[in-house]
Amino acid sequence: CGNRRIQLLTFAGKFVRSILPSSPRHLCVVGSEIVVSNFSEDSLGVYSVDGEFVRAFGVDGEIGRPSYLCAMEGNIYASYTRHH
C-alpha cells in the first residue's frame, strides 16, 4: 500500500517529477545519482536525477531487505533487516 514513489520537488515545493521504484524505503544522493533501497526486492536501485533507472545492486538477494542508506567516501552503506 502507499503511493510507492519518490517525488522530486523544488525548494519552493513545486513538483518536478516522480521516480517509481517498486517499494522505496529510503534514499541518498551520491553525486548526480539517487540511490534507493527497494525493500521488497532486496536490492538498491540507482536512478539519475532525471528519474531514469541506471542500475541495481543486490538483485540476487545478498542485501536482504535494505532499509537506511548513507553514502561516504565513495561507498554506500545500507542497513538491512533480514538475516541470512
Side-chain angles (χ1 to χ4, degrees):
C1 294
N3 76 21
R4 296 186 181 196
R5 65 182 166 186
I6 295 169
Q7 294 181 315
L8 175 62
L9 309 170
T10 67
F11 280 107
K14 181 180 175 190
F15 173 80
V16 177
R17 72 183 57 83
S18 290
I19 298 174
L20 303 171
S22 63
S23 59
R25 183 56 64 104
H26 292 275
L27 65 86
C28 69
V29 177
V30 182
S32 62
E33 296 180 321
I34 301 168
V35 181
V36 179
S37 58
N38 284 320
F39 190 75
S40 68
E41 293 184 6
D42 297 336
S43 66
L44 302 179
V46 180
Y47 298 83
S48 70
V49 291
D50 294 326
E52 297 294 321
F53 178 78
V54 177
R55 63 187 174 281
F57 298 99
V59 292
D60 294 324
E62 67 261 16
I63 295 178
R65 304 272 187 212
S67 294
Y68 300 101
L69 300 175
C70 176
M72 187 173 68
E73 298 178 0
N75 295 309
I76 299 169
Y77 298 89
S79 64
Y80 60 94
T81 57
R82 184 173 62 196
H83 300 284
H84 294 288

